[in-house]
């Protein structure tokens, strides 16, 4: 088990280095950084001086090593557009994205599992059929359309929810939260639904398919033949086996919720890192883009690591390796 | 194709009595009759062998008795009596209390019969606690006793192991312990040795025989292995295309089979040392469920059929 964790950690470091190389490549290959920094009137000598000062004349591997070293200390330089340290800008925006992603992720997971189990157990009920048909809408409607529809209905017509922004926030240390104010919570509802709907339907359909599969297995038949109650069979035996593949998918989905909150944040003008990234692209703000890339990769790597550890916790076949076998 | 009327050893009410059982599967293209007019009894402590080809309806009969027919299959006619009481009409919750407690079932493949995520001890105690009003500690003690009884070495340690840590034969022993844990009166063993190594098969059959004798448990032993029947069963029922071809004491059926199908079946078993160049082969194949001929289902393949067999 320890060997497994160490191996996974080493793999994670490799992945991060690869991503760092791509981020570093952004600086080198999307335009000349000097050109972006100095004005039109700068002389060739001044440019060369700046190039020397910034270490841009050093060999590429050395520059990359410097980039990685800085990244490890959380330094990604100054934002071209805002002239502030990139790390500060991102940290300011991160709580908004994380809160949004977490709320919609947890909601999607909880509702998705519950509905998936329900539709699997009551396969032929009219409510199950309805939920399954409705879930097709969630799968097929593009995110921005759902967001715009929600805004039209609840913000424009009914005027019960705010159309954009995060509402009032409360500061706790460096973290700003919108979960403690009424306007903050109200503002969260529509973006969370928009962001979570697709994941919800995906998880629900996955849980349903897995559950139907598990309900057909011999150990479920045997559990019934032993007279265990439906509750014990469905929730004690079937559900736990269903969740193994769900853990993997859910982990990846939570990662992508954070990474691809961009569309939702744009539709609702949600002040998170996704919106920051979109503006960074518009203004070719390379340090911000590079830092965002590294941050998202880090989140994915961490989530994958957690998923692998969860597998160990749930599945004894991985936990106990080759002990006591062979009778 | 009627079984002899006197297939029941003399005595009082049989433990299990299946009367004119008919199982149907409604489909879009009409109703399939999977089991038609099957009747037999099992006495207390008796081992009834059930043989037949794949698809003859052996397992389906077992599933119907224990009330686990998969929809859309349903009992269309006939009855299942346990100790003289009809059980095929019981509401689901009361039938559930009979399962495991009075009638247990053992499945074919021990590798897939156990939930991989729970220790065998947990699965046994869970079953005991479902049927008995005893405490956790007592149930665990009982689980260890059961594991010892089915011949698992070091049961006090093995009780905390997961199914994947046991070999196939050992897992089937665990399955037997699970089937026995509430002291049922009848065990339906659905091909309990088919998935096992030949060397382990004999051990499992011996174990099953010994335990059922000790606990005076009746067994319905579903198999297509005549060797297992000869070894373990008191009586044998031969099924063909959802009907009972013949039922009687094992010795009688093996040595003097009455029905031509049974004769074909017995003739197709290779005998060591016998000077036979070719085994008997029954021409053709078992009819599909939607094309069962009128009269005796076997008549198109039968070399001895006469007019009455065809109507």
């Amino acid at each position: 088990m320890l060997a497994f964790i160490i191996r996974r950690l080493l793999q994670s470091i490799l992945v991060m280095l690869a991503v760092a190389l791509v981020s570093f490549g952004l600086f080198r290959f999307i335009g000349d950084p000097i050109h972006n920094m100095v004005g039109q009137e700068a002389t060739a000598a001044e440019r060369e001086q700046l190039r020397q000062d910034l270490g841009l004349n050093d060999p590429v591997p050395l520059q990359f090593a410097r980039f990685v070293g800085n990244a490890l200390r959380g330094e990604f330089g100054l934002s071209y557009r805002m002239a502030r340290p990139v790390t500060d800008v991102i940290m300011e925006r991160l709580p908004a994205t994380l809160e949004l992603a977490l709320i919609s992720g947890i909601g999607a997971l909880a509702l998705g599992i519950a509905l998936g189990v329900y539709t699997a157990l009551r396969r032929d009920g009219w409510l199950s059929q309805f939920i399954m048909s409705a879930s097709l809408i969630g799968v097929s409607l593009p995110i921005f359309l759902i967001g715009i529809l929600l805004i039209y209905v609840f913000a424009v017509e009914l005027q019960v929810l705010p159309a954009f922004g995060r509402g009032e926030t409360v500061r706790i240390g460096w973290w700003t939260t919108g979960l403690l104010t009424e306007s903050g919570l109200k503002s969260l509802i529509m973006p969370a639904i928009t962001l979570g709907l697709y994941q919800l339907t995906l998880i629900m359909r996955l849980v349903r398919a897995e559950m139907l599969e598990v309900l057909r297995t011999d150990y479920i038949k045997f559990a019934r033949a032993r007279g265990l109650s439906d509750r014990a069979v469905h929730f004690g035996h079937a559900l736990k086996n269903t969740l193994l593949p769900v853990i993997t998918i859910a982990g990846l989905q939570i990662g992508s919720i954070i990474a691809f909150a961009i569309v939702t944040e744009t539709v609702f003008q949600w002040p998170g890192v996704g919106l920051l990234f979109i503006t960074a692209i518009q203004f070719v703000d390379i340090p911000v883009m590079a830092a965002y890339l590294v941050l998202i990769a880090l989140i994915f790597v961490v989530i994958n690591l957690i998923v692998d550890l969860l597998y160990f916790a749930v599945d004894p076949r991985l936990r106990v390796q080759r002990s006591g076998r062979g009778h | 194709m009627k079984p002899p009327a006197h297939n029941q050893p003399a005595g009082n009410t049989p433990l299990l009595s299946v009367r004119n059982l008919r199982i149907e599967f409604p489909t879009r293209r009409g109703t399939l009759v999977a089991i038609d007019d099957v009747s037999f009894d099992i006495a207390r402590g008796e081992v009834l062998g059930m043989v037949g080809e794949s698809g003859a309806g052996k397992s389906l009969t077992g599933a119907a008795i224990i009330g686990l027919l998969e929809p859309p299959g349903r009992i269309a006619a006939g009855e299942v009596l346990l100790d003289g009481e009809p059980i095929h009409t019981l509401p689901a919750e009361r039938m559930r209390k009979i399962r495991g407690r009075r009638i247990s079932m053992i499945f074919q493949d021990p590798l897939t019969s156990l939930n991989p995520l729970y220790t065998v001890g947990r699965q046994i105690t869970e079953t005991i606690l479902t049927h008995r009003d005893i405490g956790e500690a007592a149930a665990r003690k009982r689980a260890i006793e059961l594991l010892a009884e089915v011949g698992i070495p070091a049961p006090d340690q093995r009780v905390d192991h997961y199914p994947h840590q046991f070999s196939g034969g050992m897992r089937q022993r665990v399955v037997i312990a699970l089937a026995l844990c509430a002291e049922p009166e009848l065990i339906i063993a659905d091909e309990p040795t088919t998935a096992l190594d030949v060397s382990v098969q004999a051990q499992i059959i011996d174990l099953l025989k010994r335990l059922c004798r000790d606990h005076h448990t009746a067994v319905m032993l579903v198999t297509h292995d005549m060797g297992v029947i000869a070894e373990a069963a008191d009586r044998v029922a031969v099924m063909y295309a959802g009907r009972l071809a013949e039922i009687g004491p094992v010795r009688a059926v093996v040595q003097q089979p009455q029905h031509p199908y049974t004769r074909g079946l017995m003739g197709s078993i290779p005998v060591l040392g016998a000077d036979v160049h070719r085994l008997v082969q029954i021409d053709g194949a078992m009819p599909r469920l939607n094309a069962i001929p009128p009269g005796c289902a076997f008549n198109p393949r039968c070399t001895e059929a006469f007019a009455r067999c065809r109507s």
Side-chain angles (χ1 to χ4, degrees):
Chain A
M1 165 111 190
L2 195 67
F4 172 81
I5 295 178
I6 291 172
R7 202 167 60 233
R8 292 290 286 122
L9 274 176
L10 287 176
Q11 283 170 357
S12 307
I13 290 172
L14 273 181
V15 170
M16 288 311 295
L17 278 176
V19 173
L21 190 62
V22 173
S23 303
F24 172 69
L26 285 181
F27 285 97
R28 308 271 323 160
F29 299 114
I30 301 184
D32 180 2
I34 300 297
H35 182 78
N36 287 327
M37 278 182 236
V38 296
Q40 292 280 332
E41 322 62 66
T43 62
E46 279 171 341
R47 287 171 193 245
E48 193 46 43
Q49 182 61 39
L50 190 57
R51 202 175 285 278
Q52 195 64 38
D53 290 348
L54 290 174
L56 292 176
N57 285 339
D58 293 341
V60 173
L62 183 67
Q63 288 188 45
F64 180 56
R66 200 183 293 135
F67 175 80
V68 171
N70 284 336
L72 280 178
R73 273 179 281 123
E75 281 172 27
F76 287 91
L78 293 180
S79 157
Y80 294 165
R81 190 170 63 94
M82 290 171 273
R84 294 176 49 207
V86 170
T87 317
D88 290 1
V89 176
I90 286 190
M91 280 312 186
E92 238 172 62
R93 300 289 201 107
L94 199 57
T97 296
L98 284 184
E99 274 182 7
L100 176 61
L102 227 60
I103 295 294
S104 62
I106 290 170
L109 201 58
L111 255 177
I113 290 175
L115 289 178
V117 168
Y118 178 83
T119 49
L121 293 181
R122 298 271 155 81
R123 197 159 27 141
D124 300 318
W126 65 268
L127 187 58
S128 300
Q129 309 267 1
F130 172 76
I131 294 172
M132 287 306 289
S133 313
S135 75
L136 278 178
I137 300 173
V139 173
S140 49
L141 272 189
I143 287 185
F144 69 89
L145 196 62
I146 296 172
I148 290 170
L149 277 175
L150 285 176
I151 290 176
Y152 175 73
V153 174
F154 293 99
V156 178
E157 290 294 320
L158 299 176
Q159 302 199 346
V160 283
L161 293 172
F164 66 91
R166 210 182 162 203
E168 284 171 59
T169 54
V170 178
R171 250 193 125 73
I172 303 171
W174 62 272
W175 187 278
T176 57
T177 177
L179 298 178
L180 298 175
T181 62
E182 199 196 324
S183 72
L185 285 175
K186 270 188 167 175
S187 308
L188 189 62
I189 295 175
M190 288 200 296
I193 291 176
T194 309
L195 188 56
L197 195 64
Y198 176 75
Q199 325 293 338
L200 164 74
T201 50
L202 193 78
I203 290 172
M204 181 193 113
R205 289 180 155 260
L206 178 73
V207 167
R208 184 187 118 98
E210 280 298 324
M211 187 90 175
L212 287 174
E213 191 75 23
V214 169
L215 285 176
R216 273 196 293 270
T217 58
D218 283 354
Y219 55 84
I220 293 300
K221 281 187 206 150
F222 190 38
R224 285 195 208 286
R226 281 181 279 147
L228 301 186
S229 66
D230 280 354
R231 231 184 94 185
V233 172
H234 294 157
F235 298 103
H237 288 268
L239 185 58
K240 201 171 171 191
N241 278 285
T242 302
L243 290 184
L244 283 176
V246 175
I247 291 174
T248 317
I249 298 296
L252 291 176
Q253 290 304 315
I254 287 174
S256 62
I257 282 182
I258 298 172
F260 307 122
I262 297 173
V263 176
T264 308
E265 290 187 2
T266 311
V267 170
F268 289 94
Q269 289 298 300
W270 187 264
V273 284
L275 199 57
L276 180 72
F277 181 64
I278 285 286
T279 22
I281 289 178
Q282 281 160 3
F283 291 92
V284 202
D285 197 345
I286 291 170
V288 173
M289 284 153 67
Y292 179 79
L293 213 61
V294 172
L295 176 75
I296 294 301
L298 183 67
I299 288 172
F300 262 99
V301 163
V302 168
I303 286 176
N304 266 320
L305 208 60
I306 293 173
V307 164
D308 283 337
L309 294 181
L310 271 180
Y311 254 87
F312 269 99
V314 177
D315 194 339
R317 282 165 294 191
L318 298 173
R319 213 181 315 148
V320 204
Q321 281 166 339
R322 289 180 216 93
S323 64
R325 210 195 143 107
H327 273 277
Chain B
M1 173 134 194
K2 281 272 186 289
H6 301 288
N7 61 45
Q8 166 61 31
N12 35 15
T13 328
L15 172 67
L16 180 85
S17 188
V18 175
R19 289 275 149 257
N20 309 104
L21 185 69
R22 180 183 171 96
I23 297 174
E24 290 179 351
F25 284 81
T27 66
R28 241 172 255 170
R29 282 190 226 141
T31 303
L32 295 182
V33 181
I35 301 285
D36 195 9
D37 198 25
V38 166
S39 301
F40 60 89
D41 292 337
I42 300 179
R44 289 183 179 281
E46 184 191 31
V47 179
L48 175 73
M50 195 83 141
V51 286
E53 313 169 35
S54 304
K58 312 175 300 265
S59 302
L60 206 57
T61 309
I65 292 169
I66 202 166
L68 287 178
L69 268 186
E70 304 252 343
R74 59 189 181 90
I75 297 179
E79 48 189 2
V80 181
L81 307 172
L82 184 66
D83 233 351
E85 300 286 325
I87 56 168
H88 63 286
T89 48
L90 285 181
E93 185 56 21
R94 283 192 53 203
M95 191 60 212
R96 178 179 77 70
K97 291 200 168 118
I98 288 179
R99 280 201 288 274
R101 179 74 190 84
R102 299 189 66 191
I103 307 177
S104 265
M105 194 150 182
I106 297 172
F107 289 95
Q108 181 172 350
D109 189 355
L111 300 183
T112 56
S113 290
L114 300 167
N115 187 335
L117 300 188
Y118 294 125
T119 63
V120 298
R122 205 208 115 142
Q123 300 188 47
I124 298 175
T125 48
E126 182 186 25
T127 313
I128 295 174
L129 292 172
T130 304
H131 296 291
R132 295 258 148 125
D133 201 12
I134 57 174
E136 292 258 357
R140 185 183 155 84
K141 197 165 150 278
R142 178 90 187 99
I144 295 173
E145 285 168 17
L146 274 161
L147 289 178
E149 208 184 338
V150 296
I152 287 178
D156 47 337
Q157 289 157 36
R158 299 295 262 164
V159 72
D160 291 321
H161 284 189
Y162 290 92
H164 71 273
Q165 295 166 286
F166 292 82
S167 66
M170 282 295 150
R171 276 194 233 184
Q172 196 63 311
R173 286 171 193 264
V174 172
V175 169
I176 291 174
L178 270 162
L180 278 174
C181 67
E183 300 263 326
E185 295 151 76
L186 172 68
I187 292 181
I188 298 169
D190 191 355
E191 313 224 11
T193 57
T194 310
L196 298 175
D197 286 348
V198 180
S199 55
V200 182
Q201 285 184 358
Q203 294 173 16
I204 294 294
I205 289 297
D206 281 347
L207 175 73
L208 200 59
K209 239 169 86 178
R210 177 170 61 77
L211 289 174
C212 294
R213 201 174 47 232
D214 294 353
H215 295 262
H216 204 59
T217 311
V219 181
M220 179 175 144
L221 184 58
V222 175
T223 179
H224 50 243
D225 185 344
M226 279 307 293
V228 168
I229 297 284
E231 159 114 7
D234 300 313
R235 286 188 308 136
V236 59
V238 182
M239 288 198 76
Y240 180 79
R243 294 124 204 259
L244 215 52
E246 184 164 0
I247 185 166
V250 171
R251 182 171 285 271
V253 172
V254 170
Q255 291 177 352
Q256 286 149 347
Q258 301 294 309
H259 195 281
Y261 174 66
T262 319
R263 274 208 287 281
L265 203 61
M266 297 304 152
S268 63
I269 300 169
V271 181
L272 267 186
D275 189 19
V276 180
H277 291 293
R278 294 188 75 113
L279 291 169
V280 178
Q281 187 185 337
I282 308 177
D283 289 328
M286 202 165 68
R288 286 210 308 273
L289 287 179
N290 54 7
I292 293 180
C296 172
F298 187 59
N299 82 67
R301 300 170 71 189
C302 187
T303 50
E304 301 159 45
F306 45 94
R308 205 162 68 88
C309 298
R310 297 196 179 90
S311 55

